[in-house]
Amino acid sequence: MNLQGILPFARTLLEAAASDGSAVIDATCGNGNDTLHLSRMVGKRGRVFGFDIQELAIQNTTRRLLEEQALDNVTLFHAGHHTMKSAIPVEYHGSIKAAIFNLGYLPGGNKEIVTQSDSTIEALEQLYDLLAPGGIAVLVIYHGHEQGKKERDTVLKYASQLDQQKAHVLQYGFINQKNSPPFIVAIEKR
């Protein structure tokens, strides 16, 4: 297949916006895969801020980073992504190059604990102030469950109403796949 899958395309977007020395955010650490990728991407001079409301996710991410010896440039917060503006040191405000959100539930975790529309929109509003011009937020939207459908609709409505003078918004996904395939919404700050 010549088209990039959802997760590889998400990484392509992140890599286009951030590089060695950049400050970035993993808004939903999960099992640490994106946190590890971001850590390697920004290198020792960069900084990764990771958030998750579940202690299990923070433990899984910490374990993954320790196994890969990639914890030195990562700060993890056992908190929701809607706290990012108060949690991230002020010297990084306005200089974040990229952020990724995987909306839904923790793979292998409790499927009753899911991201919520209100806190995701609050996080996106805070993130706009944290992003550098040209910075990007990548949202991978898993909508194969009831709350995921609500969050999908809320995020799409929010993103489609953003002022085009302030942000570019992209939607990327496969429309002929079955079982509610995940898709991407990317928001680039102008």
Side-chain angles (χ1 to χ4, degrees):
M1 180 167 81
N2 292 320
L3 295 173
Q4 281 191 305
I6 296 304
L7 298 179
F9 186 66
R11 289 187 173 180
T12 295
L13 293 171
L14 295 170
E15 291 164 3
S19 58
D20 185 59
S22 296
V24 296
I25 297 171
D26 185 347
T28 51
C29 290
N31 289 314
N33 295 320
D34 287 331
T35 313
L36 176 61
H37 179 76
L38 291 171
S39 174
R40 289 177 173 159
M41 188 176 76
V42 302
K44 293 184 186 290
R45 297 182 315 113
R47 195 88 210 130
V48 180
F49 299 101
F51 294 83
D52 210 291
I53 61 167
Q54 293 188 68
E55 180 63 34
L56 178 60
I58 296 298
Q59 291 169 0
N60 291 347
T61 299
T62 301
R63 184 172 26 262
R64 180 82 201 260
L65 294 171
L66 286 171
E67 289 170 358
E68 300 292 331
Q69 299 175 350
L71 197 57
D72 291 348
N73 63 349
V74 178
T75 302
L76 297 175
F77 298 97
H78 180 206
H81 48 232
H82 64 284
T83 66
M84 65 175 64
K85 194 169 182 181
S86 63
I88 294 174
V90 70
E91 62 262 26
Y92 291 97
H93 292 200
S95 65
I96 300 294
K97 296 289 190 170
I100 186 159
F101 295 69
N102 281 284
L103 302 179
Y105 52 81
L106 174 65
N110 182 345
K111 293 182 180 181
E112 299 297 314
I113 304 172
V114 295
T115 54
Q116 300 291 317
S117 304
D118 292 345
S119 62
T120 297
I121 299 303
E122 189 176 343
L124 288 171
E125 289 176 346
Q126 290 179 31
L127 180 59
Y128 189 84
D129 292 337
L130 296 173
L131 286 173
I136 191 166
V138 178
L139 296 95
V140 182
I141 301 175
Y142 295 88
H143 57 108
H145 53 95
E146 197 55 41
Q147 175 55 30
K149 289 174 179 46
K150 291 177 188 174
E151 192 167 31
R152 171 199 65 203
D153 294 346
T154 301
V155 168
L156 287 173
K157 181 178 179 185
Y158 172 82
S160 67
Q161 294 175 354
L162 288 171
D163 183 342
Q164 67 181 5
Q165 300 303 315
K166 295 183 177 182
H168 297 290
V169 180
L170 166 82
Q171 183 176 343
Y172 180 87
F174 296 96
I175 60 174
N176 67 335
Q177 292 180 354
K178 296 178 181 176
N179 301 321
S180 303
F183 65 94
I184 289 173
V185 170
I187 303 169
E188 180 183 29
K189 182 176 180 176
R190 293 189 71 175

